[in-house]
Amino acid sequence: MGHGCACTVCAMVRYAEPGAVEWVESGGGPLIAVPETVLPFWAGADGEETASDYDRACEVDGYCGLLPVGDSAALVLGDEPASTAFLPEHGMFVRWTAANSEDELLAEVPAAVATADWDDEVDWEVPGPVVLFDSAWPGTETGRTESLRVALEPGRYAVRAANVQPGPETWVGLVQLRRVAG
């Protein structure tokens, strides 16, 4: 490591370092977080229906919304297709709208959270871990595209979103998940 190589082993080590963040991008449509248990039921842009799952995801208004998938629901990250990471220490998806660097963006997250004008919350019942990926892909193909597994505990989450400008050249989207008792 540290020799400027981009080999798989070094990339894996880089992601294992404390503070390293893994980002997921889409080809232009919304990203979606689908519970692992219902991944096979997400058809993406494929399918015989007049409106594909991808079309349904594109119809979600605002920064986030829920769509039924199998016997569960997926969280659609709407608005614009920004690079997105999950910060477990904040319990939130962070969307890179504008920043000069990853370090600058991540340093602004606490200020963004403190000053956010949050949208209305939605309740999301989660059966366990979810996978974040480009909603155009079928759930069975997430191994072939950029995806991120987020280890959520089963239960109910209050989800709220905001788009914040914490610095003069920094815009960040926040989608916060808070575990709800009961």
Side-chain angles (χ1 to χ4, degrees):
M1 204 170 85
H3 55 277
C5 160
C7 69
T8 306
V9 172
C10 292
M12 286 168 51
V13 170
R14 188 177 77 242
Y15 283 133
E17 289 174 356
V21 174
E22 191 173 350
W23 297 89
V24 174
E25 296 184 355
S26 84
L31 291 171
I32 189 164
V34 179
E36 277 183 335
T37 57
V38 295
L39 271 175
F41 297 103
W42 182 260
D46 297 345
E48 303 299 315
E49 316 282 319
T50 51
S52 68
D53 284 345
Y54 174 74
D55 293 331
R56 293 191 309 136
C58 290
E59 290 171 4
V60 169
D61 281 334
Y63 300 127
C64 70
L66 299 177
L67 279 182
V69 179
D71 63 356
S72 191
L75 180 68
V76 177
L77 303 184
D79 196 33
E80 55 184 78
S83 294
T84 302
F86 186 78
L87 303 182
E89 67 275 19
H90 294 284
M92 76 176 54
F93 291 103
V94 173
R95 316 205 63 211
W96 186 332
T97 308
N100 292 321
S101 70
E102 178 183 278
D103 288 345
E104 178 182 289
L105 181 83
L106 295 175
E108 294 286 357
V109 167
V113 172
T115 61
D117 181 14
W118 299 98
D119 280 355
D120 291 340
E121 290 185 350
V122 294
D123 276 345
W124 188 25
E125 188 72 37
V126 179
V130 300
V131 180
L132 179 72
F133 60 99
D134 183 335
S135 60
W137 283 81
T140 54
E141 301 283 322
T142 56
R144 294 183 42 220
T145 185
E146 283 187 26
S147 63
L148 176 66
R149 183 179 189 270
V150 179
L152 295 179
E153 291 292 318
R156 213 168 97 233
Y157 289 81
V159 181
R160 62 184 185 167
N163 210 358
V164 187
Q165 184 181 9
E169 299 191 12
T170 306
W171 281 92
V172 61
L174 305 172
V175 180
Q176 185 179 55
L177 312 178
R178 290 189 341 273
R179 190 80 188 273
V180 178

